[in-house]
Amino acid sequence: LFCPCLIYGAYIFLPFDAPLLPTISARLVYTLRCAAFATFPIVLGMIVSGISRLCSSALEPFGELHQEVEIHRTYVSQSVHLFILYFFNMAVLATYLPQELLKLIPLLTGLFAISRLIFWLSYAIGRSFRAFGFSMTFLPLLAMLLWNLYGMFILEPENLLS
């Protein structure tokens, strides 16, 4: 319930519009450029994971990881998997959206980055708090997937593979 309200508020109140993108290739390049910003939390997680591994008190560098190192490593791994799913769904979504709704692409990218940072913070606090951050990432992904399937099979079934 929080994610649609957040996206709608940002769509209405943020003063920017998507550039005119008449072709599918231009839309895909725009999506690719927006998706580069979604890698920020992943790269930040890799840096923190490396620093925590270096500062760890483990005598054996390839031995069993401490909890603080394991949290960052798990966060980075899960974030990479979710980013791949998110990016491919955003790329397909960009091909189906009308021009006036292309503003959703950078908004969804920002939501992904913010929700991954919230997940990371809540995961570090305690494993029971991570559901909010994960749902902020997963539920928009699920909504994009459903919209993409609806667009492919209901709106344009004749152009499914073209």
Side-chain angles (χ1 to χ4, degrees):
L1 192 60
F2 181 69
C3 288
C5 294
L6 187 65
I7 291 291
Y8 179 74
Y11 185 83
I12 297 297
F13 294 115
L14 288 179
F16 75 92
D17 286 324
L20 184 62
L21 303 167
T23 64
I24 290 179
S25 60
R27 290 172 178 229
L28 291 176
V29 168
Y30 181 66
T31 304
L32 183 64
R33 288 178 180 168
C34 287
F37 291 102
T39 61
F40 172 74
I42 299 170
V43 172
L44 185 64
M46 293 171 122
I47 291 169
V48 171
S49 178
I51 291 171
S52 67
R53 191 166 181 109
L54 284 173
C55 296
S56 167
S57 62
L59 296 176
E60 186 68 35
F62 297 108
E64 188 175 324
L65 298 176
H66 292 287
Q67 182 181 2
E68 63 270 6
V69 178
E70 186 65 32
I71 286 172
H72 303 305
R73 189 189 64 79
T74 303
Y75 163 76
V76 169
S77 174
Q78 290 176 357
S79 294
V80 167
H81 295 144
L82 283 171
F83 173 75
I84 291 168
L85 292 172
Y86 217 81
F87 172 71
F88 281 119
N89 275 288
M90 271 198 328
V92 172
L93 182 68
T95 64
Y96 286 110
L97 286 177
Q99 175 64 39
E100 59 272 4
L101 292 179
L102 282 177
K103 184 178 178 179
L104 288 174
I105 298 299
L107 294 177
L108 288 169
T109 302
L111 178 67
F112 176 82
I114 290 168
S115 62
R116 290 316 295 165
L117 291 172
I118 289 172
F119 173 79
W120 190 18
L121 178 66
S122 61
Y123 190 58
I125 290 172
R127 292 180 186 244
S128 60
F129 296 110
R130 64 185 174 177
F132 177 70
F134 181 78
S135 65
M136 280 184 64
T137 306
F138 182 72
L139 294 177
L141 173 66
L142 185 62
M144 283 190 295
L145 176 64
L146 292 175
W147 177 257
N148 289 337
L149 292 174
Y150 174 75
M152 286 189 288
F153 292 112
I154 305 298
L155 295 180
E156 297 180 12
E158 67 278 355
N159 296 333
L160 184 62
L161 298 175
S162 62

